Amino acid sequence: MKLFDSLKQIIQTYLPEEQIRTIERAFILARDAHQGQHRSSGEPYITHPVAVACIIAEMKLDYEAIMAALLHDVIEDTPYTETQLTEEFGKSVAEIVEGVSKLDKLKFRTRQEAQVANFQKMILAMTEDIRVVLIKLADRTHNMRTLGVLRPDKRRRIAKETMEIYAPLAHRLGIEHIKNELEDLSFKAMYPYRYEVLIKAMNTARNNHKDLIGKISQEIYEHLRAANISAQVTGRERPLYTVYQKLRQKEQEFHSIMDLYAFDVIVGNHDQCYIALGRLHALYKPRPQMVKDYIAVPKANGYQSLQTQMIGPKGVPVEVHIATEEMQQMAEMGVTAKWSHKERGKNDSTAPQIRAQRWLESLIELQQSVGNSFEFIESVKSEFFPKEIYVFTPKGRIIELPKGATPIDFAYAVHSDVGSGCVGAKVDRKPYPLSQPLVSGQTIEIITAEGTQPSSNWLNFVVTAKARTKIRQSLKNLEADTALLLGKNQLVNVLQPVKLTDISEKNLQQVLEIYGLKTFDDLCIQIGLGNLMSAVVAYRLLDESVEIDTDGDPFNNDRPLKIKGSENLLTNFAQCCHPIPGDPIVAYVTPGKGLVVHHARCANVRHKKSMYYIAVEWENADTKTPFEAELRIKMLNCAETLSNLMSALAVLESNIRSIWTEEQNGQLYDIVILLNARNTHHLATIIESIKTLPGFVHIDRNINA
């Protein structure tokens, strides 16, 4: 029972003795069920569920969640069934364990439709009981803590999945301490060299500037006390990965201690937050446009505070976050904050639990609205963890949208009827193109008209799943004659100045064969119904390739023939194969992402249906936008291996986006590096230069072939 003691010490602080005894019964069952099973480290398997339960208990979740954490692998890895757990511990606990088991079966990174059913089960399980996903986050956290015993390739794969899925999920639910730990552990596994360098820099900065941190904290405290504001002032060290991102975004080295620290000021109420902000600006000069009010406009996960950046003593930048104690607790714990006060939260529309539940329910609505499994999984992936912007209705209502959202997305976010009836938009009282992305802080007025229908052309640029699915729903309800007319008009418009009569019969038949249609009218109907993108169809009818921009000006490409509206097509470059100018490429038409450009030999496009492909080619222009390529390098483990590599890349004007290294048998370095390359010629020059370095063994480019 020694293992149980560590958990018991935590739960004794907030649970009654009767519930602790029930949890102990769950521990005994889990211990006996996992008897003889061991982890990769050689430890008894029961150590893992106990550790997961401790993480859940530290969040102060209820006793059912703690029991489910102890039992979360029992259905998956032992003969016990959901029915047996129901009889022993009740329906609620058994359902949570079953929900976690379904999450374990889910492979997040696959795109095969066979996995969509599991993906939908995950969404449903999360919506029915959010404790399912909280246990899964705790499970992943402990797995990341013990990642060191695994093979390097497996460590890197798990860390990448954690960074892409679980850390953003924790952030979306507002559980910042879990999000920060997952990011730091993933950073360590993916980029061990950079991790060690940054750790050393932070330790040096921490030791050298203790007095400065103390001085600033004291100055802030004294200044607020003089204004009769009782406040707690602390210097808070930023998470390691946050520091790394901050430096990487600025493309600078670690210089200032203020890249490492921010200051928290905790006051009594909302009014004092704003008073404290004014007093701090009287103490230190604020930096223009660096004041953020997340109290009036909370983040999507419920986070609230006032944030300001100022110029402190001797020109040192000082960042301060001002909040109440309740806001601070919400910022750290998110949906788990004040878990025992859930009844209170039911009446509070801003409570993190309510916000999270609404978000999860919106995913269920999406599941019910989309036309097929492929569309569902792609739409959810594009919606799952967006960067938000905040815009306003004319009456001051705040609307939260993903970055890149357009007035059409805004209209559907206000109400489906507003979106369907939209004929125009004004932003800050001036006319605004419906296809142009919005920016935080804008006030949007949607102009509507009765009897109007959504345009299938909107599907070329909307980014929210709700807008896409509602547009398709409206279009699918059209009569065939109306859809035919709408689709034909749309096609005529994008083909201009080419006329329909100029399209060759051969090209038309090829396009009909690609889409499995019989007649030109069927093609127009599918466009009118929103099932096909008019700009993509136009390129195919003309047997033309879409030109992929390389100089950063999509409105001024080098070919005279231009499909009207194609500059609004969303274009993304696949992260699996990193195509660069000069590569043979194909594009895949993906709902919500427009054209996703892959290297022609990328394994991820082999199973795609031909109807989703479109021919693409690079613009014949000087490359001015940065492209990324990934190289895998083996080099001898010498003292100056990495410094020689960095120097060579610097000479060739190639910025490093990320680097991962792993020592093999004390003799070889395995290096995976993501770097900028203007085109294939530039990349070939880089590769040849690397081959001349001392200790070079092997190099190849990773295109996921």
Side-chain angles (χ1 to χ4, degrees), residues 455-461 472 475 483-496 500 503 511 515 520 523-544 546 562-569 589 594-595 614:
S455 168
S456 57
N457 187 48
W458 293 354
L459 295 171
N460 291 333
F461 52 78
R472 286 197 174 99
L475 295 173
L484 171 61
L485 181 61
L486 184 65
K488 189 172 183 179
N489 289 340
Q490 186 64 48
L491 192 55
V492 168
N493 183 49
V494 298
L495 279 169
Q496 290 178 354
L500 287 176
I503 304 297
V511 172
Y515 291 121
F520 176 71
L523 183 67
C524 292
I525 288 171
Q526 291 303 309
I527 295 173
L529 293 176
N531 295 329
L532 298 176
M533 299 169 71
S534 56
V536 172
V537 173
Y539 273 109
R540 283 186 164 142
L541 286 172
L542 295 173
D543 199 18
E544 287 283 338
V546 178
K562 189 70 179 172
I563 300 300
K564 187 177 179 182
S566 62
E567 64 275 358
N568 291 324
L569 275 173
V589 184
L595 301 180
I614 186 169

Side-chain angles (χ1 to χ4, degrees), residues 311-504:
I311 307 299
K314 299 180 181 179
V316 171
V318 177
E319 181 174 325
V320 178
H321 298 187
I322 307 169
T324 65
E325 190 170 341
E326 184 179 24
M327 291 177 195
Q328 185 77 349
Q329 185 181 13
M330 297 293 187
E332 280 299 310
M333 304 303 290
V335 295
T336 67
K338 298 192 175 181
W339 189 267
S340 60
H341 295 88
K342 285 188 289 183
E343 291 301 317
R344 172 186 169 187
K346 288 180 181 178
N347 299 318
D348 180 5
S349 62
T350 64
Q353 292 92 344
I354 302 301
R355 284 174 172 268
Q357 198 68 21
R358 285 176 180 170
W359 174 61
L360 295 171
E361 287 168 358
S362 72
L363 298 182
I364 288 293
E365 180 185 352
L366 169 64
Q367 174 189 332
Q368 295 168 346
S369 300
V370 295
N372 56 64
S373 298
F374 171 80
E375 185 181 329
F376 169 74
I377 195 168
E378 291 297 336
S379 295
V380 169
K381 283 181 179 180
S382 65
E383 282 285 296
F384 219 14
F385 314 111
K387 292 183 178 180
E388 300 89 5
I389 63 169
Y390 299 92
V391 291
F392 299 88
T393 68
K395 293 184 178 180
R397 176 186 165 195
I398 300 166
I399 301 292
E400 169 197 329
L401 294 168
K403 188 175 181 180
T406 65
I408 297 295
D409 295 293
F410 171 86
Y412 277 101
V414 172
H415 196 277
S416 298
D417 292 342
V418 176
S420 298
C422 176
V423 294
K426 289 184 178 181
V427 172
D428 297 331
R429 300 184 180 182
K430 296 179 181 178
Y432 198 85
L434 293 179
S435 61
Q436 186 169 326
L438 299 170
V439 178
S440 278
Q442 292 175 326
T443 298
I444 295 92
E445 178 186 354
I446 299 297
I447 302 167
T448 59
E450 291 186 11
T452 58
Q453 288 284 350
S455 168
S456 57
N457 187 48
W458 293 354
L459 295 171
N460 291 333
F461 52 78
V462 294
V463 300
T464 59
K466 180 177 181 180
R468 285 195 304 275
T469 54
K470 292 298 181 183
I471 291 167
R472 286 197 174 99
Q473 279 183 326
S474 297
L475 295 173
K476 287 172 183 176
N477 291 332
L478 294 177
E479 296 290 339
D481 290 345
T482 306
L484 171 61
L485 181 61
L486 184 65
K488 189 172 183 179
N489 289 340
Q490 186 64 48
L491 192 55
V492 168
N493 183 49
V494 298
L495 279 169
Q496 290 178 354
V498 178
K499 298 179 181 178
L500 287 176
T501 53
D502 296 333
I503 304 297
S504 72

Side-chain angles (χ1 to χ4, degrees), residues 136-192:
K136 186 57 186 174
L137 286 172
D139 172 66
R140 179 52 64 110
T141 301
H142 183 247
N143 283 336
M144 290 301 297
R145 290 174 181 175
T146 55
L147 203 60
V149 299
L150 302 180
R151 297 193 318 267
D153 59 326
K154 194 170 184 180
R155 288 206 304 266
R156 189 163 178 260
R157 177 183 61 77
I158 293 172
K160 190 170 189 290
E161 182 184 71
T162 301
M163 190 74 83
E164 292 179 354
I165 298 294
Y166 293 98
L169 181 56
H171 177 64
R172 193 61 175 78
L173 298 175
I175 315 171
E176 289 300 295
H177 71 290
I178 293 291
K179 172 250 186 187
N180 291 335
E181 183 175 0
L182 289 176
E183 285 184 339
D184 285 356
L185 292 171
S186 298
F187 177 43
K188 181 179 182 180
M190 293 172 70
Y191 312 114

Side-chain angles (χ1 to χ4, degrees), residues 151-152 155 192-193 633-638 642 660-671:
R151 297 193 318 267
R155 288 206 304 266
Y193 177 75
I633 309 167
K634 286 185 182 294
M635 300 188 75
L636 294 178
N637 187 0
C638 304
L642 288 176
W660 174 85
T661 63
E662 186 72 31
E663 188 176 319
Q664 297 291 339
N665 303 322
Q667 297 179 345
L668 285 178
Y669 257 141
D670 277 345
I671 305 170

Side-chain angles (χ1 to χ4, degrees), residues 539-592:
Y539 273 109
R540 283 186 164 142
L541 286 172
L542 295 173
D543 199 18
E544 287 283 338
S545 299
V546 178
E547 202 168 47
I548 302 303
D549 176 58
T550 61
D551 62 5
D553 184 5
F555 291 89
N556 188 27
N557 283 356
D558 68 300
R559 280 207 314 261
L561 178 62
K562 189 70 179 172
I563 300 300
K564 187 177 179 182
S566 62
E567 64 275 358
N568 291 324
L569 275 173
L570 294 173
T571 302
N572 292 279
F573 297 97
Q575 297 299 299
C576 49
C577 53
H578 298 290
I580 62 176
D583 283 332
I585 51 175
V586 294
Y588 191 72
V589 184
T590 304

